[in-house]
Amino acid sequence: MANQPNVTFGALGAGRAGPGMSDAMSGWLLSAPLMLVLAFFLILPIIMIVIVSFWGATEFSIYPAFQFDNYEFLLSSPVTYQVFLATIKYAIITWVCTLLIGFTIAYFLAFHIRTQTWQIILFLLCTIPFWTSNIIRMISWIPFLGRNGLANSALVGMGIVDQPVEWLLYSDFSVILAFVHLYTLFMVVPIFNTMMRIDRSLIEAAYDNGATGLQTLTNVIIPLTKPGIMIGSIFVVTLVMGDFITVRFMSGSQKANVGRLISNDIALLQYPSACATAVVLLVTVLLVIAVLLRFVDIRKEL
Amino acid sequence: MEKRPRSFYLLAAFFALFLVFLYGPTFTIAILSFQGPQGGLTFPMRGVSLHWFRELFQQQAVGDIWGSFGRSFVLGVMVMVATVVISVMGGLAFRKRFPGSGVVFYLIVTSLVIPSILISLGVGLIFSQAGLKVHWSTSGFGSQLTWTLPFGLLIMFAVFNRFDKSFEEAARDQGANAWQTIWSVVLPIIAPMLIGVALFGFTLSYDEFARTLLTAGSYNTLPLEIYGMTTNVTTPVIFALGTLTTVFSFLIIGVFLLTVIVANKRRARRGSDAGKGLV
């Protein structure tokens, strides 16, 4: 489809007015349920969060106000900057790991598996965990990483370390491991999808002109796969930046990110301050997306 | 057949390792859920038993997991139906550019990338300020749709981008009205993809945690119940529960995949063109 840039949605029916109902009317009617859901459960909540971020709070309740206290407190606290830095650190490390693994897996499936049936089977094997519970998948690392877990038994058994390694579980390591475990398939799927659309004759042409395998990869395949990489990156970066549960669970509450800052405030019923943090997080995430979207036109890639 | 290059074997080994990484932990807890009654959360196995599964069926031991399973199931079906219907309508709407379609498109992207806890927090606040009670079937239902709809819609956009318009034109030329064209021509062609949308709708809802956290009210869904257990249950009973829900997820995925395969086979046998109208 990449070679048919004119077939983007919206352009399809251009120039032919439907009989009876006008295009605008039928478009609005058909998307009305969608717009209702988005209005009530996406736009209104965002507006509410922005409003409440200016409210005040006592120990037990919140009251309407228009004050900048929440933001002042948030932006003047060194903890905020540490936590945002930690969040960005998780996002970058996870992004690099998922990109490297995801690209390799997609490349293998797209260019080394020769029959379509096997491609579908192996691709499904990669995607099935996406449809199972994230919490269960996190829990299932415990018997591996714990003090008496499989990893430590193996390490001690092989004589690599004298006593169990403590940093395997409840550390940055376990948090990032869980992120990579949960989110690599968000890279595999879009990258595989773009790779399957690459015209194979381009690769043959590269080889015929004397390019080595590596040169073909860096000069032909990677540039053509960029849209898939960008879409995967958007998924992974936003999922990691907005996360609170993985960090809480996999670090045994010892590490913090912005999501946890928000959920801690919620637990203490400090909704206005949770909302202020949420606004800053949302702005950060949207800025990152805006930058990534400069490299890809999502509508064209569908 | 052409000889495989050496890179194939390296990559195949990497792929195999990736699958082990993906599935290994799940299989480990499946094994550990058969621990003997004295067993703990990690190896060694102290005997093999169904003790922890039996424990699950004793209500008082672990809270209301069967109730929460029932709620999650019903909610999953509700979200699935709503996701399919709204996504198909949205997909049809977006085939023609209409005023505001660009804005709606970016809202869909926003719905996908917005941190889940913001939806939870915002919806929770709206309900509490409006004096309404949050409940899994109202606020929880709507919040989950903000997660499942973007997936459903992106699939529908991709489907309609590849849709061969000549089928529709043929129907119209034969005198079918707009509704008949959609019902008897368009929907049968896109039916296999709708099964995919339904799978996303059900499973994403069934496993959703963050968006339901503050919007489910006093009756937990299953993921919330499991999350609650992680903080106070320190026996393999949680592995048994994890194994059961994973098996259930696998069953659901299997049913959906089987439906697609059977539908395709039947079509092939009848020599029908249905489902082929995607270019």
Side-chain angles (χ1 to χ4, degrees), chain B residues 5-107:
Chain B
R6 203 174 44 165
S7 59
F8 169 81
Y9 296 99
L10 279 175
L11 287 168
F14 184 80
F15 185 80
L17 272 178
F18 178 68
L19 287 186
V20 171
F21 171 66
L22 219 48
Y23 289 93
T26 311
F27 282 114
T28 314
I29 66 157
I31 295 169
L32 282 169
S33 58
F34 291 98
Q35 275 276 26
Q38 307 301 320
L41 284 172
T42 180
F43 287 104
M45 297 284 284
R46 298 181 197 279
V48 175
S49 76
L50 291 173
H51 178 82
W52 303 108
F53 287 98
R54 233 174 279 131
E55 195 95 314
L56 278 179
F57 290 88
Q58 292 162 356
Q59 203 88 1
Q60 69 280 8
V62 281
D64 186 20
I65 51 162
W66 295 103
S68 58
F69 170 75
R71 287 188 283 277
S72 276
F73 188 83
V74 173
L75 183 56
V77 173
M78 284 166 61
V79 171
M80 176 181 84
V81 172
T83 304
V84 171
V85 173
I86 299 175
S87 301
V88 171
M89 290 177 71
L92 288 170
F94 269 81
R95 294 205 294 169
K96 289 169 191 154
R97 197 174 285 279
F98 57 92
S101 61
V103 177
V104 179
F105 182 80
Y106 280 103
L107 280 176

Side-chain angles (χ1 to χ4, degrees), chain B residues 1 16 32 35 39 44 103 142 152 165 171 181 199 204 227 246 262 267:
Chain B
M1 213 178 207
L32 282 169
Q35 275 276 26
V103 177
K165 299 280 277 187
T181 312
L199 173 65
L204 293 186
Y227 178 69
T246 307
V262 168
R267 278 189 176 137

Side-chain angles (χ1 to χ4, degrees), chain A residues 9 28 112 125 131 144 245 248, chain B residues 4 23 28 94 99 203 227:
Chain A
F9 73 90
W28 285 334
H112 281 276
L125 269 179
W131 294 311
F144 261 94
I245 187 70
R248 185 186 180 283
Chain B
R4 300 274 193 192
Y23 289 93
T28 314
F94 269 81
T203 57
Y227 178 69

